[in-house]
Amino acid sequence: MMLALQHGATGFSVPVLLVGLGPSVLDIDIGPLLALVPIGLVAGVGYGIAYYYRYTYEVTASTFDVSSGVFARRSREIPYRRIQNVDSSQGLFQRLFGLAVVSIETAGGGDTEATLRFVSEDEAERLRSEIRRLTAATGESTADSDPDPDRSASDEPTPSERTRENHSSGGGAPTLLFDLEVRDLLLYAVTSFRWGAAVFPIAILVFLGGADSGSGLVPAFVIDAARPFGGPDTLEGAAVGPLLMLAAVTAVQWSVFTYVSSAIYTVANYYGFRLGHAGEDFVYERGLVQRYSGSIPVEKVQSVSVTENPLQRLVGYAGLRVETAGYGPDSGSSNQSAVPLAGTDRVYRFAETLTGVETPDFRSPPRLARRRYFVRYSIVAAVIVAAAIGLSRVSTFDRWYLTAVVFVAVPPAAHLKYVNLGYFVGADHLVIRSGFWNRQTTVIPYYRIQTVSTRRSVFQRRLGLASLAVDTASSRTFSWGSPTIYDIDLETAREIHDTGRERLQSALRERARTDDLGLSVDFT
């Protein structure tokens, strides 16, 4: 019924939109269009019903099969060994009707492999539990097909084998590992900033654009706010100076509105966050209006990152994110919050317990790198001052020399860039730290490394420096790039490259012998 109504609303809205645009934009007679409104409604409802009956899925012993399509049929068989995440979500209306959306994510794809819409809550939970159980059973059978000849029946079981013995069914109530308290949620909201929230103030500007201002898309309240600071009374015939002041005040307003929107989004998105452990999976749930829940297989985790921004470091808090090869519901990417925010010491203990990494003793790049950052930021400051000088030649803005204050920020900026870089080459893990505004400390097991590439820009080649990028089998986005060791000596980069390759081969041989997941899930 919900699917039929959804498609019916789509079929109804298109003719209604054409009716609204007909006289003024399209310059056509709306009489024939009015007849399309009920036809669109009926056609949409009919298509939704047909899609429902033509959509089938089946949980088999080795694959999850999905068939869909009304006019063009599509059939997929998804092997359990490729499944990375099984997530479910519920919007407000879906929660009222007891429905859910189940998403199945696999490795190597940019889109969700299969989405089951409008299934009942009980069916969603059954599918998640059943797929988790079969995924674990598939991994177990794969491991058992190639037993270690050097191990006897009396040998102690590995941690992964003990986990499978204790949770072979994949069912039962999850063991709670982390619960985000309201105080920490509010702290997370005020100490985080999400650029994606900028769409909300932009939408407000479009919605209120031109209201009593006679200035196009710029609302009256934006011009009124800038007027006491030298902004224009109206955009028509305004000089460059008042327009620049209007732009500056608007930027401040936009930043404030974005920050507030970001805080509201964070509260709504992470309200009631809980992380648990069931079988060989992490299970989580979160959300106020839109409720999310899902699972993250422990053996699919590629890397673990501790994230901190300056405000969070100031109050002694940090977050923990895990990277998988699939796509999860968190910002449409493969990195998901395991712990949105907690005390820094606690988060680092979580990371060490989860990965088994020893406490890292970070090494810093050579001091030559700090000089490079000083020169880089000095060039940026010079460009800003030159732009101000050019602006003063074409406008009434004559205090260009005030922009020279940006040079004061160059030394601390170069220093902060440098001191927040570090790396640690451990026995089983490579640990990389970088970033000031969003510092990330990433722990990568050697057996998860796919490629290690040495990158050198023109300036790095002149200084004898190089950067080392480490890629895993994850699907990273532009904002969440590959972990990189920046600006180290070329010889050091080559040594780390060779060490990583040797320890990768050693780790793979050891895992093949012991069949150990290499990850612990006991956060206590």
Side-chain angles (χ1 to χ4, degrees):
M1 180 61 70
M2 289 289 294
L3 186 62
L5 292 177
Q6 184 183 62
H7 286 282
T10 302
F12 174 82
S13 61
V14 173
V16 169
L17 178 63
L18 292 176
V19 169
L21 295 177
S24 58
V25 178
L26 302 179
D27 192 22
I28 59 177
D29 185 12
I30 66 173
L33 295 178
L34 291 175
L36 295 179
V37 174
I39 295 176
L41 175 62
V42 173
V45 171
Y47 181 85
I49 294 174
Y51 188 89
Y52 172 79
Y53 283 105
R54 298 276 285 173
Y55 194 105
T56 60
Y57 60 88
E58 181 182 5
V59 180
T60 68
S62 58
T63 62
F64 183 80
D65 301 340
V66 181
S67 297
S68 61
V70 177
F71 302 108
R73 298 287 291 169
R74 181 187 181 191
S75 299
R76 285 156 291 170
E77 295 182 353
I78 307 172
Y80 294 120
R81 67 178 180 274
R82 292 189 60 242
I83 293 178
Q84 301 290 324
N85 311 79
V86 182
D87 308 302
S88 66
S89 61
Q90 293 178 285
L92 180 60
F93 291 104
Q94 290 166 329
R95 292 168 68 181
L96 291 175
F97 289 96
L99 301 175
V101 177
V102 179
S103 302
I104 299 175
E105 323 286 351
T106 60
D111 299 317
T112 300
E113 188 69 22
T115 301
L116 310 180
R117 302 185 183 277
F118 306 117
V119 299
S120 66
E121 290 180 344
D122 293 340
E123 176 67 3
E125 182 59 33
R126 184 192 73 83
L127 286 173
R128 286 173 48 199
S129 299
E130 186 70 4
I131 292 175
R132 285 205 312 264
R133 183 186 68 82
L134 291 170
T135 301
T138 300
E140 182 178 359
S141 63
T142 301
D144 292 342
S145 64
D146 186 20
D148 180 13
D150 297 330
R151 289 182 57 198
S152 64
S154 60
D155 288 343
E156 287 294 323
T158 65
S160 63
E161 291 169 339
R162 288 193 294 266
T163 302
R164 284 197 291 267
E165 292 170 1
N166 295 334
H167 304 281
S168 59
S169 64
T175 301
L176 182 63
L177 300 176
F178 179 79
D179 187 5
L180 185 63
E181 299 179 356
V182 174
R183 179 179 64 88
D184 292 339
L185 174 62
L186 296 178
L187 185 61
Y188 187 38
V190 299
T191 59
S192 59
F193 187 86
R194 304 175 186 276
W195 288 103
V199 68
F200 295 107
I202 293 175
I204 293 175
L205 285 177
V206 173
F207 181 76
L208 298 178
D212 300 327
S213 65
S215 50
L217 292 178
V218 181
F221 72 88
V222 174
I223 297 179
D224 293 340
R227 190 175 296 118
F229 301 96
D233 293 329
T234 179
L235 294 184
E236 297 179 1
V240 175
L243 288 177
L244 290 176
M245 184 56 64
L246 173 63
V249 174
T250 302
V252 173
Q253 288 180 309
W254 174 81
S255 300
V256 172
F257 289 154
T258 300
Y259 178 76
V260 173
S261 300
S262 173
I264 295 174
Y265 172 83
T266 299
V267 171
N269 205 35
Y270 287 94
Y271 177 84
F273 184 96
R274 294 164 61 89
L275 178 70
H277 173 227
E280 295 183 3
D281 295 350
F282 293 128
V283 293
Y284 65 89
E285 58 181 32
R286 61 178 174 84
L288 181 60
V289 178
Q290 183 86 3
R291 193 69 181 167
Y292 295 98
S293 59
S295 61
I296 308 171
V298 174
E299 64 177 4
K300 305 294 186 180
V301 173
Q302 301 293 312
S303 62
V304 175
S305 298
V306 177
T307 61
E308 312 161 88
N309 62 36
L311 286 177
Q312 292 168 352
R313 292 199 296 271
L314 183 64
V315 297
Y317 276 74
L320 182 70
R321 307 184 75 86
V322 296
E323 183 85 15
T324 66
Y327 280 74
D330 191 10
S331 303
S333 66
S334 57
N335 56 85
Q336 304 177 61
S337 288
V339 177
L341 194 72
T344 302
D345 293 340
R346 185 184 181 191
V347 168
Y348 274 99
R349 287 199 305 271
F350 279 9
E352 292 178 4
T353 305
L354 175 61
T355 61
V357 66
E358 58 269 45
T359 302
D361 182 15
F362 287 105
R363 295 177 58 185
S364 298
R367 294 185 178 180
L368 185 61
R370 179 163 48 189
R371 291 167 49 191
R372 178 176 179 238
Y373 304 143
F374 180 86
V375 174
R376 176 193 298 176
Y377 295 144
S378 296
I379 294 175
V380 173
V383 170
I384 294 175
V385 174
I389 294 175
L391 183 62
S392 66
R393 300 294 178 88
V394 297
S395 68
T396 58
F397 177 71
D398 58 355
R399 298 183 180 181
W400 59 266
Y401 50 85
L402 296 178
T403 58
V405 72
V406 297
F407 282 101
V408 177
V410 169
H415 177 72
L416 291 175
K417 169 74 172 179
Y418 176 78
V419 298
N420 283 283
L421 295 177
Y423 63 94
F424 170 70
V425 182
D428 300 308
H429 303 79
L430 183 63
V431 186
I432 301 174
R433 184 181 66 191
S434 64
F436 169 73
W437 297 108
N438 185 23
R439 189 169 71 183
Q440 299 176 6
T441 304
T442 304
V443 181
I444 309 172
Y446 287 118
Y447 66 87
R448 292 300 191 189
I449 294 177
Q450 298 289 313
T451 60
V452 179
S453 57
T454 302
R455 304 172 181 176
R456 305 184 70 197
S457 67
V458 175
F459 302 102
Q460 287 176 316
R461 287 198 295 270
R462 291 178 60 88
L463 298 174
L465 301 176
S467 296
L468 209 63
V470 182
D471 292 319
T472 61
S474 60
S475 305
R476 291 180 173 267
T477 61
F478 175 78
S479 60
W480 189 273
S482 299
T484 302
I485 305 175
Y486 291 101
D487 295 315
I488 56 178
D489 291 324
L490 179 59
E491 291 302 320
T492 303
R494 290 172 175 170
E495 291 176 5
I496 298 175
H497 194 146
D498 294 338
T499 300
R501 182 171 53 189
E502 294 171 0
R503 295 185 181 178
L504 167 62
Q505 298 300 324
S506 300
L508 291 177
R509 287 193 296 268
E510 181 65 18
R511 280 175 54 82
R513 187 183 72 82
T514 62
D515 182 35
D516 191 353
L517 293 178
L519 292 171
S520 171
V521 294
D522 182 9
F523 279 0
T524 59

